[in-house]
Amino acid sequence: MAGNTYKLYGRANAGSLAPQIVLEEIGAPYEMIWVSKAPADVAVLRQVNPTGKIPALVLPDGTPVFESAAILIHLTQAHPAANLAPPAGSTAHARFLQWMVFLSSNVYESCLRTYYSERYSTSGPAAATEIKQQAAADYAHYLELIHGALSPYVLGENLSAADPYLYMLAGWYPGDVAALQARLPKLVQHGELLRRRAATRKAEQAHSKG
């Protein structure tokens, strides 16, 4: 691996989309490594991320990092000239961290409960159904909360790494998308703004082929 090149382990239409968008926004060189759910591929991934989950990022010095929020926050600090986060220690940076953790611990978590509800109970399909229903309600509620902050981006007028993260997670919403969009017009505008960006288009094109 070249001295300044990242390696991003990902899967199509999955959690590697936001880190890939941010890498494109930064303009940092990276190698995309697509990982299927085949046991052999997952075994290789576990050498980088012991949880066997994507995304995982290998830094230019060979250090592996996993967890989407950690990857995104690190990239903003490693490439401050990209202006994808406010200066560390500032009030604006505190808000940035707040929303990054909110997206990770609430929106992403409710997404996982929605799509993998059977993992959250040992009581069979009936419990899984109830878990999924509550998770979907939580998912919509958390999107409503961050919707209130959009102006038009998460931190106001300036794009940050929180925006590709929100864009990715909002795109996975499994419920009545039309009804959600009618309630959350600023979230619709946010998605439109992100889709206009070259970094988003390039990453989504890669995911459509990956």
Side-chain angles (χ1 to χ4, degrees), residues 48-88:
V48 178
N49 179 359
T51 71
K53 299 177 182 179
I54 56 93
L57 184 71
V58 178
L59 307 184
D61 67 0
T63 302
V65 179
F66 54 93
E67 295 296 336
S68 299
I71 290 169
L72 295 172
I73 292 168
H74 171 76
L75 287 172
T76 68
Q77 294 182 333
H79 300 273
N83 293 318
L84 290 177

Side-chain angles (χ1 to χ4, degrees), residues 74-160:
H74 171 76
L75 287 172
T76 68
Q77 294 182 333
H79 300 273
N83 293 318
L84 290 177
S90 66
T91 299
H93 194 262
R95 290 184 61 244
F96 168 71
L97 294 177
Q98 166 194 284
W99 288 121
M100 290 297 290
V101 175
F102 174 84
L103 288 166
S104 178
S105 62
N106 293 289
V107 183
Y108 212 144
E109 187 276 334
S110 61
C111 171
L112 293 175
R113 275 190 291 125
T114 300
Y115 285 101
Y116 303 102
S117 52
E118 70 281 356
R119 298 179 182 177
Y120 291 81
S121 174
T122 59
S123 300
T129 298
E130 293 178 359
I131 290 169
K132 184 173 183 177
Q133 291 173 343
Q134 182 61 56
D138 292 342
Y139 202 154
H141 173 63
Y142 295 139
L143 290 176
E144 289 171 1
L145 287 178
I146 199 166
H147 173 265
L150 296 177
S151 184
Y153 297 111
V154 174
L155 297 183
E157 296 183 356
N158 297 320
L159 182 83
S160 74

Side-chain angles (χ1 to χ4, degrees), residues 162-183:
D163 293 296
Y165 202 16
L166 172 59
Y167 175 77
M168 178 183 75
L169 294 173
W172 295 342
Y173 180 69
D176 187 334
V177 174
L180 183 77
Q181 291 177 338
R183 295 202 314 273

